[in-house]
Amino acid sequence: MMNETVITVVGNLTADPELRYTQNGLPVANFTIASTPRNFDRAANEWKDGDPLFLRASVWKEFAEHVAGSLTKGMRVIAQGRLRQRSYQDREGNQRTAIELEVDEIGPSLRYATAQVTRSAGNGTSQATGGAWSAPQSSSEEWSTPGIEEAF
C-alpha cells in the first residue's frame, strides 16, 4: 500500500507473546519490543544507553500462532511492519492515542544467538526455535525454489 509508514525495529521482547482468539476464532498475538539505542560517549570513553522505545506489536492468523510458539521473553528480534495509530477512550473517559506496529515479518536476531528453522505444514512459512540454524534433515529439495538451480 502506498504512503504507509514501514519500519524495522531491533530489540528484545519484554514478555512472551500473548496469543488470543477473537470471537470469530481468528488468532492474534500481541507483544512488546523494547529497543534501546547505545552510543559511545567519547568524553567518558564508554558506551551509554539511550532512552528505550517500547513498541507494542501484533500479528494475526497462522502467523500469530507461529510467533507465540517460537518467540519468548528476552529474545532479541528483528521486526518489520507498518505503524498504525488508533484512538480509544480509557476507563476514566479520557481520549487516548496509541501507536502500534502491525508486523509483516519477524524473527530472532542471530547477532548473539543461533536458531533452528522448521517449516510449518501448509503455506510454506517457517518458525524459529532455539538451537542451531539449519534446514530440515529430510531433504534439501524441500527448501529449493524451482528453476533457481539451473540459473547458477
Side-chain angles (χ1 to χ4, degrees), residues 52-90:
L53 167 71
F54 293 92
L55 187 58
R56 195 76 179 138
S58 63
V59 293
W60 292 85
K61 300 181 182 178
E62 188 178 15
F63 190 15
E65 294 173 329
H66 293 178
V67 166
S70 302
L71 303 176
T72 58
K73 177 182 179 178
M75 277 187 163
R76 184 175 175 88
V77 298
I78 303 169
Q80 184 176 47
R82 293 161 282 133
L83 286 180
R84 297 284 187 229
Q85 179 175 308
R86 66 179 176 88
S87 297
Y88 65 96
Q89 199 170 48
D90 68 14

Side-chain angles (χ1 to χ4, degrees), residues 107-110 113-118 126-135 137 143:
S109 169
L110 301 181
T114 61
Q116 180 176 352
V117 176
T118 306
S126 300
Q127 67 187 58
T129 58
W133 184 269
S134 64
Q137 300 299 320
W143 288 88

Side-chain angles (χ1 to χ4, degrees), residues 12 34-41 44 46-53 76:
N12 296 77
S35 181
T36 305
R38 290 189 59 127
N39 298 305
F40 189 74
D41 182 345
E46 64 184 8
W47 287 95
K48 293 193 176 180
D49 288 340
D51 294 329
L53 167 71
R76 184 175 175 88

Side-chain angles (χ1 to χ4, degrees), residues 77-123:
V77 298
I78 303 169
Q80 184 176 47
R82 293 161 282 133
L83 286 180
R84 297 284 187 229
Q85 179 175 308
R86 66 179 176 88
S87 297
Y88 65 96
Q89 199 170 48
D90 68 14
R91 292 182 182 159
E92 290 79 37
N94 299 315
Q95 195 66 20
R96 302 281 184 185
T97 300
I99 295 176
E100 299 171 338
L101 181 65
E102 189 174 304
V103 176
D104 294 322
E105 299 287 342
I106 188 168
S109 169
L110 301 181
R111 180 177 290 261
Y112 306 113
T114 61
Q116 180 176 352
V117 176
T118 306
R119 183 177 291 246
S120 68
N123 64 6

